[in-house]
């Protein structure tokens, strides 16, 4: 959360819980995106709905508070090279982060399994 | 553009404002929070320390007398600036917040009295009244102004006509959204119902005059740092007759003419409301701020701000993802959302990437944001010393953010 004193930047009323997104919406987003080519088999109307769900899940990811200072730090540094890349980093930061956490979790589980 | 283009910082008028010369690449659009200070104001402050350096009203030596004369002159100047007849009708305070608290605590309330404010007030014109209700039995009524800046005068009239209503305390301009309250009508409605009127003029005097003569209100509070002056100095201005309804809430040096172990004799107002040593250096700076405004003239100020507002309007209204809070755009103050972007993050991007200073959050208007279930937003506030190129840079920056970051 951005800490900017009493001016209340942190008072958003449409925040999404990190854990809810991480465990439900994020896997759904990954699965639905990965399987998107299949949507071409189910007709254009259903494909439209599929796309809407994927886009909404992606948009939701922006409403999670996840190390915002790091996100801004990285994006503003990248801005010095390219505004487009900076915007790209800014938009996808939460997804990158969650993806890394899933990989980390998977790695931990696999390592423990191997040790056992 | 994929690669960052080099910013062009030409055209920055820095002459009168040292902060602009020291930060030629900065675009300052947070003027509703505090204004920039002209060189004269900064020199005025230091002239107290280098040339006067004494206590007013207390020391009879020549430096003390000079300070007393200068402070008296300042009081006169301020009273004329707000259209009051006498210097004694100006009480020096630490700022608008202090002025409102002083009024709130010094006014002699009776049990059951009611105060009316609008829902759009800054916390400084809300919390003192809430606190007053907690201690004594003074009730607070809130007149609703909705998220589009709409209000119903009939609703206000109904509140004013309650026999318990004693004081209406309103901002003459809001720090949250641009709003044009029909002040003359409101004041005459209040007076018709024997309700006194206090105006929080914090957001007004940098942009337009506000005058006891023209509008006939009863009390007025403001801070000098918002009108080119120093921080830590403000004024509570009032018509002399209202001193009868007040009693100083804070006592100390300068507030009394005599004291025994059980009693004290108060000095005459305004001195009995100014406990402790005065903020002399800031008072010196405050006078210079008024002189600067008078030198430029409100008509010039308004003309320049109208031009800047128009530029903002043209540049911002068609931007992708842009929505505005309040009635619209034709003002030096704009409060907005860019898509779903967090206002704090947007403000930081504008600062770090584009060197543009704005303000994010709920702007000390928690009540209004909560009541309207609004998210924190980004406030852009221009002043007459901003340039066309400042606005152009803002528009270009927001265009780029809208394109790349949404
Ligand atoms: C409308 C309004 N009232 C009161 C205040 C409080 O002013 P200060 O903090 O200078 O006392 C502000 C400051 O932003 C304001 O905008």
């Amino acid at each position: 959360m951005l800490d900017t004193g009493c001016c209340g930047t942190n008072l958003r009323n449409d925040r999404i819980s990190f854990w809810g997104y991480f465990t439900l919406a994020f896997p759904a987003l990954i699965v639905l995106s990965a399987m998107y080519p299949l949507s071409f088999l189910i007709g254009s109307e259903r494909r439209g709905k599929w796309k809407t769900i994927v886009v909404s899940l992606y948009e939701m990811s922006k409403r999670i508070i996840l190390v915002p200072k790091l996100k801004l730090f990285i994006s503003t540094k990248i801005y010095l090279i390219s505004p487009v890349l900076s915007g790209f980093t800014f938009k996808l930061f939460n997804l990158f982060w969650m993806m890394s956490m899933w990989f980390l979790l998977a790695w931990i589980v696999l390592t423990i399994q191997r040790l056992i | 553009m994929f690669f960052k283009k080099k910013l062009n910082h030409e055209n920055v008028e820095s002459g009168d404002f040292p902060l602009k010369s020291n930060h030629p690449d900065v675009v300052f659009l947070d003027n509703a929070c505090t204004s920039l200070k002209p060189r004269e104001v900064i020199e005025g402050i230091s002239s107290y320390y280098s040339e006067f350096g004494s206590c007013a009203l207390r020391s009879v030596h020549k430096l003390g007398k000079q300070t007393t004369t200068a402070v008296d002159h300042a009081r006169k100047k301020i009273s004329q600036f707000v259209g009051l007849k006498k210097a004694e009708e100006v009480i020096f305070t630490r700022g608008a917040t202090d002025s409102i608290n002083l009024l709130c605590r010094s006014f002699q309330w009776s049990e059951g009295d009611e105060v009316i404010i609008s829902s759009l007030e800054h916390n400084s014109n809300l919390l003192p009244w809430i606190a007053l209700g907690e201690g004594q039995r003074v009730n607070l009524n809130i007149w609703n102004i909705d998220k589009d800046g709409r209000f119903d005068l009939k609703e206000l009239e109904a509140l004013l006509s309650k026999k318990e209503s004693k004081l209406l305390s309103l901002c003459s301009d809001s720090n949250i959204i641009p709003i044009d309250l029909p002040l003359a009508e409101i004041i005459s409605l209040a007076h018709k119902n024997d309700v006194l009127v206090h105006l929080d003029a914090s957001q007004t005097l940098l942009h337009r005059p506000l005058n006891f003569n023209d509008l006939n209100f009863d009390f007025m509070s403001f801070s000098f740092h918002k009108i080119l002056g120093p921080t830590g100095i403000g004024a509570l201005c009032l018509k002399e007759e209202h001193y009868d309804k007040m009693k100083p809430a804070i006592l100390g040096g300068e507030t009394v003419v005599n004291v025994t172990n059980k009693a004290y004799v108060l000095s005459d107002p305004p001195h009995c409301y100014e406990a402790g040593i005065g903020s002399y250096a800031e008072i010196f700076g405050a006078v210079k701020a008024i002189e600067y405004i008078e030198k430029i003239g409100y008509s010039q100020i308004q003309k320049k701000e109208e031009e800047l507002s128009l530029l903002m309007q043209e540049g911002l209204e068609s931007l992708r993802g842009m929505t505005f809070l309040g009635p619209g755009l034709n003002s030096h103050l704009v409060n907005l959302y860019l898509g779903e972007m967090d206002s704090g993050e947007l403000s930081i991007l504008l600062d770090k990437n584009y060197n543009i200073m704005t303000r994010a959050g709920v702007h000390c208007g928690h009540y209004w944001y909560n009541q309207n279930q609004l998210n924190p937003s980004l406030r852009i506030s221009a002043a007459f010393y901003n340039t066309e190129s400042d606005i152009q840079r803002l528009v270009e920056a927001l265009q780029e953010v809208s394109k790349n970051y949404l």
Side-chain angles (χ1 to χ4, degrees):
Chain A
M1 206 164 295
L2 290 171
D3 176 16
T4 47
C6 78
C7 44
T9 38
N10 54 354
L11 294 177
R12 276 191 83 144
N13 49 30
D14 59 353
R15 289 282 187 215
I16 289 174
S17 123
F18 166 73
W19 289 111
Y21 193 91
F22 182 66
T23 52
L24 296 172
F26 182 74
L29 173 65
I30 297 298
V31 171
L32 288 176
S33 311
M35 288 167 47
Y36 188 65
L38 290 183
S39 70
F40 285 89
L41 305 175
I42 58 172
S44 66
E45 196 183 319
R46 283 190 186 159
R47 188 163 68 247
K49 283 185 188 154
W50 191 313
K51 199 170 162 190
T52 312
I53 296 173
V54 171
V55 171
S56 320
L57 287 171
Y58 160 69
E59 289 295 334
M60 271 165 77
S61 74
K62 296 184 191 165
R63 287 203 238 144
I64 299 160
I65 314 166
L66 200 57
V67 279
K69 283 184 182 158
L70 182 66
K71 174 171 79 174
L72 283 162
F73 177 78
I74 296 174
S75 323
T76 51
K77 290 288 171 223
I78 295 178
Y79 180 83
L80 299 174
I81 305 159
S82 156
V84 174
L85 270 186
S86 167
F88 189 71
T89 314
F90 185 86
K91 287 189 282 195
L92 294 181
F93 180 87
N94 283 352
L95 293 180
F96 284 143
W97 194 259
M98 276 184 249
M99 182 69 99
S100 321
M101 284 176 79
W102 271 110
F103 277 127
L104 182 69
L105 268 180
W107 178 80
I108 292 171
V109 170
L110 288 176
T111 315
I112 292 174
Q113 255 183 358
R114 223 179 295 136
L115 286 178
I116 295 169
Chain B
M1 183 176 291
F2 188 82
F3 288 106
K4 185 178 182 309
K5 71 173 177 211
K6 197 143 173 38
L7 281 177
N8 179 8
H9 296 315
E10 45 63 63
N11 210 359
V12 180
E13 288 168 17
S14 46
D16 285 358
F17 293 86
L19 190 124
K20 282 188 151 201
S21 332
N22 293 330
H23 300 277
D25 50 344
V26 160
V27 173
F28 190 79
L29 289 170
D30 191 15
N31 295 289
C33 189
T34 197
S35 63
L36 300 186
K37 320 299 173 209
R39 190 177 309 280
E40 286 97 314
V41 169
I42 299 167
E43 284 168 3
I45 297 168
S46 70
S47 78
Y48 165 73
Y49 292 113
S50 52
E51 290 164 39
F52 294 77
S54 300
C55 299
L57 283 171
R58 304 170 185 212
S59 314
V60 289
H61 52 73
K62 61 174 174 298
L63 289 179
K65 278 189 182 163
Q66 275 173 21
T67 310
T68 304
T69 309
V71 171
D72 286 347
H73 163 75
R75 215 187 281 278
K76 186 81 205 153
K77 182 94 203 157
I78 295 162
S79 69
Q80 287 164 348
F81 180 63
V82 297
L84 283 169
K85 288 190 194 76
K86 296 186 181 168
E88 291 72 31
E89 294 171 308
V90 173
I91 303 172
F92 285 120
T93 63
R94 285 184 52 244
T97 306
D98 198 29
S99 303
I100 299 168
N101 275 282
L102 179 69
L103 172 63
C104 181
R105 282 152 204 266
S106 303
F107 198 88
Q108 296 300 286
W109 304 102
S110 309
E111 208 172 296
D113 278 350
E114 297 195 352
V115 172
I116 305 164
I117 62 168
S118 85
S119 59
L120 194 56
E121 299 306 318
H122 187 280
N123 282 341
S124 296
N125 193 24
L126 165 64
L127 296 173
W129 307 114
I130 293 180
L132 181 68
E134 284 164 359
Q136 310 176 29
R137 259 165 277 148
V138 173
N139 297 320
L140 179 62
N141 286 317
I142 301 187
W143 174 46
N144 191 40
I145 297 181
D146 77 9
K147 70 178 185 358
D148 300 314
R150 284 180 307 221
F151 49 82
D152 181 359
L153 277 184
K154 292 236 160 56
E155 194 192 316
L156 177 63
E157 197 173 358
L159 294 173
L160 288 167
S161 63
K162 289 173 77 178
K163 70 175 190 325
E164 296 82 6
S165 295
K166 197 63 156 224
L167 181 85
L168 169 67
S169 183
L170 274 189
C171 57
S172 42
D173 283 288
S174 164
N175 64 312
I176 304 173
I177 51 171
I179 186 161
D180 197 7
L181 291 172
L183 288 176
E185 196 178 343
I186 291 175
I187 292 164
S188 94
L189 266 181
H191 285 166
K192 213 168 76 192
N193 288 285
D194 288 329
V195 176
L196 298 170
V197 179
H198 163 251
L199 293 183
D200 171 3
S202 306
Q203 292 296 338
T204 300
L205 294 169
L206 180 62
H207 311 285
R208 64 185 171 92
L210 189 66
N211 202 298
F212 277 82
N213 267 336
D214 298 340
L215 283 175
N216 195 31
F217 46 90
D218 302 281
F219 303 90
M220 177 207 242
S221 300
F222 63 95
S223 298
F224 277 96
H225 72 93
K226 292 195 194 281
I227 60 165
L228 312 181
T231 53
I233 184 79
L236 173 64
C237 305
L238 66 155
K239 289 191 190 149
E240 195 181 26
E241 71 227 42
H242 296 316
Y243 278 129
D244 290 349
K245 306 176 187 72
M246 292 168 66
K247 190 169 169 233
I250 299 171
L251 295 173
E254 208 177 303
T255 57
V256 287
V257 285
N258 203 358
V259 187
T260 66
N261 63 344
K262 291 229 171 67
Y264 55 85
V265 181
L266 285 174
S267 43
D268 287 335
H271 305 293
C272 59
Y273 293 95
E274 294 175 352
I277 196 91
S279 303
Y280 305 127
E282 288 73 18
I283 292 172
F284 279 44
V287 172
K288 296 291 175 195
I290 292 180
E291 285 171 0
Y292 190 90
I293 290 178
E294 287 174 345
K295 188 174 85 185
I296 305 280
Y298 274 121
S299 59
Q300 274 305 103
I301 289 176
Q302 282 170 312
K303 191 163 161 263
K304 180 70 191 291
E305 290 186 353
E306 271 163 28
E307 284 164 18
L308 297 177
S309 310
L310 199 67
L311 271 181
M312 272 208 276
Q313 181 165 2
E314 284 167 6
L316 298 184
E317 80 193 333
S318 56
L319 272 191
R320 182 172 75 101
M322 187 68 83
T323 41
F324 299 96
L325 263 178
L329 256 173
N330 61 349
S331 166
H332 57 271
L333 184 140
V334 174
N335 201 338
L336 57 85
Y337 297 108
L338 192 58
E340 298 244 329
M341 216 166 161
D342 185 277
S343 64
E345 293 183 349
L346 177 55
S347 186
I348 290 175
L349 285 178
L350 287 173
D351 168 19
K352 295 253 157 64
N353 293 354
Y354 308 94
N355 249 326
I356 299 174
M357 313 294 129
T358 57
R359 168 96 178 256
V362 296
H363 314 289
C364 297
H366 297 68
Y367 176 80
W368 189 77
Y369 276 80
N370 284 335
Q371 198 202 21
N372 291 297
Q373 297 181 324
L374 292 166
N375 275 321
S377 52
L378 184 87
R379 184 182 71 191
I380 294 159
S381 48
F384 67 90
Y385 44 72
N386 283 116
T387 61
E388 282 75 13
S389 91
D390 287 348
I391 305 300
Q392 207 177 325
R393 273 178 60 192
L394 169 80
V395 171
E396 281 169 17
L398 284 172
Q399 271 166 352
E400 194 170 88
V401 174
S402 160
K403 197 166 122 221
N404 295 333
Y405 292 79
L406 276 193

